[in-house]
Amino acid sequence: MWMRGLLLWFALLSLAACHHGMQPVAFQTQGYPQKLSDWHVVEARDGLLQLNEGVVPYELNTPLFTDYAHKLRTIWMPKGVSARYSPTDTFDFPVGTIISKTFFYPLPKGEARNTADVARTYDTSRDFAGPGQGLKLADVHLVETRLLVRRKDGWIAMPYVWNAEQTEALLARTGDVQALTLVNDNGERENFNYVVPDQSQCASCHARDWTTRALQPIGPKARHLNRDYRYADGDENQLAHLMRVGYLTGAPLPADAPRNANWMDAHASLDARARAYLDINCGHCHNPKGAANTTGLTLDIATPEDRHIGLCKPPTAAGQGTGDHLFDIMPGRPDDSILPYRLGSAEPGTMMPEIGRSTVHKEGLALIRAWIAAQSGECLILH
């Protein structure tokens, strides 16, 4: 009995670690609140972007690329309800769930705050005040926080853009554009426009079934969440943690759940890394029910490595998007394949994904090129 009480105490400690006098999370059953703080999920307070009580952070094994932005992802649910586990699909979240994703950049090292300059880095060591704690506002630049809210009629998406003072994020249903400059550790600079999608564009990625266009979260699937996270009370597998705090039911032991590779993990196979990258960046559209279902190109992790994933597959339409290449993937020849050509473009009408980025993910592109270069076989070219 004492052990159960101790575990419950640790769970409550984990849920409340970042709560500092904030009002309780306020689930809004209708309308579009004008301020992010109306929800009380995350708030800028005392030099931190703080998580409220019961707001659980999480990460993905391989995240979606968004112009090198870092992301703070969270889940909150009302007391007494839980999501239902699925081994393949997005978990079945109850009415009242709020999923948030805050997009931010670390500030360049050694530079005074300049809202146009942001760091291009994979280093996250300066982002958080500590394990399970909020973002350090002195070291990051907040851009936007997107909410996915599970109401009775389904999921609603709401984008909120942070003000210059970094004190509040305001509803931006028509989207926003911010001119920023990526600065890497060598001082190299790249100007770009960070585009906050408008509310209607959310369906481009989040409508898993294009016939109904009903929104669904993308990240909260077993294969993306099956990894450890450093919570305030220590490291724990995220699936196990969600089960322990009552936010998830029906999950097996982590060893028995599917798990995507980390695309940057040098110990994982090239194939596993590339498939995980395509799954999260492309699979939400390129699947049998998604927005790109008419292309015949399916890129989610369940797709077998045959013609459906693009091997020797001609495009459904010619023109700007193909670069005059003949096949989506030509084994051993990334320079002659459409897939890396589109990933390597930032031009509207050519680049893929079509929205969500203004820059080329150089490291991701290199991964996909290496994956194609390692494949064997020949495509039949008809003259």
Side-chain angles (χ1 to χ4, degrees):
M1 183 65 70
W2 68 269
M3 181 60 72
R4 172 185 277 182
L6 182 62
L7 291 173
L8 179 59
W9 182 84
F10 274 122
L12 294 174
L13 176 65
S14 171
L15 285 171
C18 301
H19 175 233
H20 298 281
M22 294 168 62
Q23 296 183 38
V25 173
F27 180 77
Q28 310 287 338
T29 60
Q30 57 186 355
Y32 299 93
Q34 293 302 301
K35 298 183 298 181
L36 179 64
S37 61
D38 292 334
W39 297 88
H40 303 299
V41 174
V42 295
E43 293 184 17
R45 301 166 61 94
D46 303 324
L48 299 175
L49 181 67
Q50 296 184 4
L51 284 63
N52 207 340
E53 180 179 2
V55 175
V56 177
Y58 68 94
E59 293 180 352
L60 308 182
N61 281 313
T62 292
L64 177 74
F65 173 75
T66 311
D67 289 329
Y68 292 97
H70 294 199
K71 299 167 186 177
L72 168 61
R73 302 170 179 86
T74 73
I75 298 174
W76 178 87
M77 295 181 210
K79 292 182 179 180
V81 297
S82 303
R84 289 197 296 271
Y85 175 84
S86 168
T88 56
D89 297 326
T90 300
F91 298 156
D92 185 6
F93 289 96
V95 172
T97 301
I98 303 173
I99 296 177
S100 81
K101 182 161 61 172
T102 297
F103 297 71
F104 67 95
Y105 291 91
L107 298 177
K109 294 180 179 179
E111 286 193 22
R113 177 178 288 277
N114 179 340
T115 55
D117 287 356
V118 294
R120 177 179 175 266
T121 179
Y122 292 108
D123 181 10
T124 62
S125 62
R126 296 186 302 128
D127 295 352
F128 294 88
Q133 298 182 35
L135 300 175
K136 295 187 292 184
L137 295 179
D139 294 333
V140 303
H141 173 65
L142 306 176
V143 181
E144 59 164 324
T145 296
R146 303 177 192 175
L147 297 185
L148 273 176
V149 179
R150 179 66 169 89
R151 289 175 171 167
K152 289 183 178 180
D153 294 333
W155 290 95
I156 303 294
M158 300 183 203
Y160 290 85
V161 175
W162 285 90
N163 60 17
E165 296 78 20
Q166 304 281 271
T167 56
E168 180 65 271
L170 302 177
L171 185 66
R173 296 183 67 183
T174 58
D176 191 40
V177 178
Q178 296 186 18
L180 298 175
T181 301
L182 288 167
V183 183
N184 68 13
D185 289 339
N186 297 324
E188 297 172 341
R189 304 170 69 85
E190 179 182 359
N191 298 325
F192 74 105
N193 288 324
Y194 182 102
V195 179
V196 178
D198 64 53
Q199 191 172 20
S200 65
Q201 288 178 308
C202 296
S204 299
C205 295
H206 285 279
R208 176 76 179 182
D209 188 333
W210 201 240
T211 58
T212 65
R213 306 209 177 185
L215 304 189
Q216 285 282 343
I218 296 173
K221 298 182 177 74
R223 62 183 181 270
H224 301 317
L225 295 180
N226 191 3
R227 54 163 291 167
D228 285 353
Y229 188 90
R230 179 152 293 178
Y231 300 98
D233 55 344
D235 292 0
E236 187 177 12
N237 179 276
Q238 293 182 141
L239 296 178
H241 183 81
L242 292 173
M243 288 281 288
R244 181 165 65 88
V245 301
Y247 275 12
L248 183 63
T249 60
L253 293 173
D256 298 324
R259 180 174 183 169
N260 271 13
N262 178 339
W263 75 279
M264 298 180 70
D265 182 4
H267 299 290
S269 70
L270 177 61
D271 183 71
R273 293 164 57 206
R275 292 300 305 272
Y277 185 87
L278 293 173
D279 185 34
I280 194 67
N281 283 280
C282 312
H284 50 271
C285 285
H286 284 277
N287 65 77
K289 294 184 178 181
N293 62 349
T294 58
T295 67
L297 177 64
T298 51
L299 296 173
D300 60 6
I301 201 72
T303 304
E305 288 196 11
D306 57 15
R307 182 165 171 159
H308 293 295
I309 202 169
L311 293 173
C312 296
K313 176 192 167 302
T316 55
Q320 178 182 353
T322 68
D324 296 324
H325 302 317
L326 298 178
F327 303 103
D328 291 334
I329 296 175
M330 186 172 282
R333 296 165 62 177
D335 288 338
D336 297 321
S337 301
I338 297 172
L339 187 59
Y341 170 74
R342 303 197 75 169
L343 290 173
S345 174
E347 296 296 323
T350 299
M351 72 176 190
M352 282 290 172
E354 294 178 314
I355 65 171
R357 68 174 179 91
S358 300
T359 61
V360 174
H361 189 196
K362 298 175 183 178
E363 298 83 1
L365 175 61
L367 171 65
I368 299 306
R369 288 180 57 85
W371 175 63
I372 294 175
Q375 296 179 15
S376 60
E378 295 290 337
C379 300
L380 178 62
I381 301 176
L382 301 177
H383 296 283

